[in-house]
Amino acid sequence: MTNSELTCLIVEDHPQAQEWLARAVKEAFHTTAEICDTVEAANRLLKLRLPDVALIDLGLPDGHGQEVIRTLAKMRQHSTKEVTIVVSTVMNDDES
């Protein structure tokens, strides 16, 4: 697979983190990423197609990123495609 064929999904609700991750994907893999900011949006997209790489924030406004990972696992059962999952989260000082 060439980098131009690589597909990436970013599930992140913070605009600055979305921008940073999208830029990192573009620079590293020379491809653009699809961005979802909620569990619901990500799960809808995953039911249409699986990405090669998924960057998933755990703290989302409508649920936990683990729900997206569960959907990915379920969709993977019906596919031979390998999906790399990278999990991240941002906490401010009040949450730590």
Side-chain angles (χ1 to χ4, degrees):
M1 172 186 312
T2 64
N3 286 343
S4 63
E5 296 170 344
L6 183 88
T7 58
C8 182
L9 171 64
I10 296 171
V11 185
E12 172 61 65
D13 61 315
H14 291 92
Q16 287 179 315
Q18 288 174 351
E19 184 180 321
W20 180 83
L21 290 168
R23 189 175 332 116
V25 165
K26 185 167 184 73
E27 289 176 9
F29 303 111
H30 307 287
T31 190
T32 57
E34 293 189 81
I35 300 174
C36 295
D37 60 359
T38 63
V39 169
E40 180 182 357
N43 285 343
R44 264 196 323 265
L45 185 81
L46 289 172
K47 289 177 182 172
L48 298 174
R49 62 189 163 276
L50 287 173
D52 296 302
V53 178
L55 308 173
I56 303 172
D57 179 18
L58 293 179
L60 297 164
D62 64 337
H64 196 277
Q66 184 66 36
E67 296 172 54
V68 178
I69 295 169
R70 279 194 281 277
T71 300
L72 261 169
K74 183 185 290 186
M75 300 309 294
R76 265 279 293 123
Q77 291 175 350
H78 308 289
S79 173
T80 59
K81 186 172 191 172
E82 294 292 325
V83 179
T84 300
I85 299 172
V86 178
V87 176
S88 68
T89 196
V90 175
M91 293 178 19
N92 62 36
D93 289 339
D94 296 337
E95 296 174 306
S96 55

